[in-house]
Amino acid sequence: MESTFRLGRVAGVEIGLNWSWLVVFALIVWSLTAGVFPDQNPGLADSTYLAMGVVAAVLFFASILLHELGHALQARREGMEIEGITLWLFGGVATFRGMFPSAGAEFRIAIAGPLVSLALGVLFSALAPLSELPAAVDGVTAWLGYINLALLVFNLLPALPLDGGRVLRALLWQARGDFGWATRIAAGAGRGFGYAFIGIGVALFIFQGAFSGAWLAFLGWFLLMASASEARYLATRQALSGLRVADLMAREPACVTPGMTLGEFMDEVAWSRRFTTYPVVEGERPVGLLPFRRVARVPRREWDARRVEECMVPLAEVETLRGEEPAFEAFQRLAENELGRGLVLEDGRLVGLLSVSDVARALEVGGPRRRRPR
């Protein structure tokens, strides 16, 4: 899930918002203002209900952020690299890089978020009955207590990729020592819950006209898609097991120098060696990557005046890989990078180029093939 807006860092973890968050935020504010709070706390002004809705929605997403930070900070304690947290349509997602170190580590990471939701639910529920609180504050705290406990129950469903599904996988993994088998069982449970949610949601929407039925069906669809993604992740990981970057990379790729004009590049390199990207090197040291699409955007009349270094992507923005790095980990990094390509270095020297398409072709044929330079 990509972030549309960057919010900064909390405890060293980058926080972002996806555009879909704006949609669900508006829906929550509307439903609280128009229905929940007027029923729960009658007799207040419309402006008060609106203020309550906005505050409650903001604190709800703050609760989700704390839930995801629970996962992220525990993952850091387990030695995993944290890429960030994104708030989106279905709440939030914390993204980690690499494989869980052990079944115990996955269990502790998975359960950390629900424990935060439990603590928040108990705290808000305990605050709500205090008689000295204003009615508006009482209404917001009561709803936050309820919604955090509801979030806890939903997340603990044994359906991958929900927290409960990850707990289930961790327990199965620990019991049998087979991560693949545990993933298939937990992902199957996720599909089962997904179909059930869709069926119940459609029935509620058709026979009772309840909008919540449509939302439940949408949640079911999300579970189906997410569980399928977990299954693809497993299949890719197993297919690339034992392979290194050096097994899949293109050796001796066609390179260019930063001082070469675009006209020289077109005449001397691109005309005879047609690829989508070209490493840019000074001697044997890489300094960047030249996507052909950037050259194509430059008017032909400017080719003799513009140089490669003006169009290249600097090395700092390019993924750099090692030949001994596991192919699956490299594939994950490249898939998350807009370029989809990485330079393979050895002692700072360029030794190859690896792209997502190289890995995809290896998956199609079931193993690496010797490839022509690119």
Side-chain angles (χ1 to χ4, degrees):
M1 179 52 58
E2 296 291 333
S3 295
T4 308
F5 312 101
R6 305 287 181 182
L7 299 183
R9 291 180 173 272
V10 176
V13 180
E14 185 170 315
I15 310 299
L17 285 179
N18 181 267
W19 66 268
S20 60
W21 175 86
L22 298 173
V23 176
V24 74
F25 181 83
L27 285 173
I28 290 175
V29 171
W30 172 75
S31 64
L32 291 176
T33 302
V36 174
F37 288 143
D39 291 341
Q40 180 179 297
N41 300 88
L44 302 179
D46 291 344
S47 59
T48 301
Y49 291 133
L50 177 59
M52 291 171 66
V54 172
V55 171
V58 169
L59 291 179
F60 170 59
F61 278 101
S63 299
I64 291 177
L65 178 58
L66 290 174
H67 175 108
E68 296 301 332
L69 278 171
H71 291 307
L73 297 181
Q74 181 61 42
R76 179 185 290 168
R77 284 192 284 270
E78 301 291 345
M80 296 188 70
E81 183 178 349
I82 306 164
E83 294 188 349
I85 293 173
T86 302
L87 299 177
W88 69 303
L89 181 66
F90 288 109
V93 58
T95 307
F96 316 123
R97 177 172 290 178
M99 175 64 180
F100 293 108
S102 65
E106 180 173 22
F107 176 85
R108 290 186 291 273
I109 294 169
I111 204 65
L115 289 177
V116 172
S117 294
L118 175 62
L120 291 172
V122 170
L123 174 63
F124 284 122
S125 297
L127 288 174
L130 298 179
S131 58
E132 60 269 22
L133 290 177
V137 177
D138 171 79
V140 171
T141 54
W143 182 81
L144 287 169
Y146 158 78
I147 201 64
N148 273 285
L149 293 176
L151 180 66
L152 168 68
V153 172
F154 175 74
N155 267 298
L156 285 179
L157 292 176
L160 203 64
L162 299 179
D163 295 338
R166 298 195 184 280
V167 168
L168 172 63
R169 178 169 68 181
L171 294 174
L172 294 173
W173 182 11
Q174 180 67 36
R176 189 163 167 175
D178 187 337
F179 177 81
W181 172 77
T183 299
R184 286 189 289 272
I185 296 298
R191 288 192 297 272
F193 275 99
Y195 285 122
F197 283 177
I198 291 173
I200 295 172
V202 169
L204 287 174
F205 186 75
I206 292 176
F207 297 110
Q208 296 186 7
F211 180 75
S212 59
W215 187 250
L216 187 62
F218 202 23
L219 280 174
W221 171 82
F222 162 72
L223 282 179
L224 286 180
M225 297 300 102
S227 60
S229 177
E230 291 283 349
R232 287 193 298 272
Y233 171 90
L234 174 64
T236 303
R237 179 173 175 268
Q238 291 178 330
L240 295 177
S241 176
L243 295 178
R244 305 167 303 147
V245 166
D247 297 322
L248 304 178
M249 71 182 186
R251 301 175 185 273
E252 301 179 3
C255 297
V256 296
T257 59
M260 179 182 288
T261 67
L262 297 185
E264 291 171 336
F265 162 71
M266 294 297 295
D267 292 338
E268 299 174 15
V269 182
W271 182 258
S272 58
R273 307 185 73 179
R274 301 180 181 181
F275 302 111
T276 57
T277 52
Y278 299 82
V280 184
V281 298
E282 285 185 319
E284 292 183 324
R285 302 286 173 173
V287 295
L289 192 63
L290 179 67
F292 185 80
R293 68 176 182 271
R294 288 195 172 192
V295 178
R297 288 200 293 261
V298 177
R300 184 183 296 268
R301 64 179 179 276
E302 298 181 17
W303 283 359
D304 291 334
R306 301 281 296 274
R307 298 186 180 279
V308 164
E309 61 188 347
E310 299 176 53
C311 295
M312 73 180 188
V313 179
L315 184 62
E317 300 176 19
V318 179
E319 288 288 346
T320 55
L321 310 169
R322 296 173 294 102
E324 295 302 313
E325 186 174 345
F328 179 69
E329 293 182 10
F331 175 67
Q332 286 184 296
R333 291 170 58 189
L334 296 180
E336 295 162 1
N337 186 284
E338 182 182 355
L339 293 170
R341 286 162 177 75
L343 299 176
V344 187
L345 309 182
E346 183 178 308
D347 297 326
R349 297 180 297 105
L350 178 70
V351 295
L353 175 70
L354 183 69
S355 69
V356 169
S357 57
D358 290 328
V359 182
R361 282 193 293 269
L363 292 173
E364 289 173 3
V365 300
R369 295 187 298 177
R370 184 173 296 277
R371 310 191 194 291
R372 62 188 182 93
R374 49 179 303 169

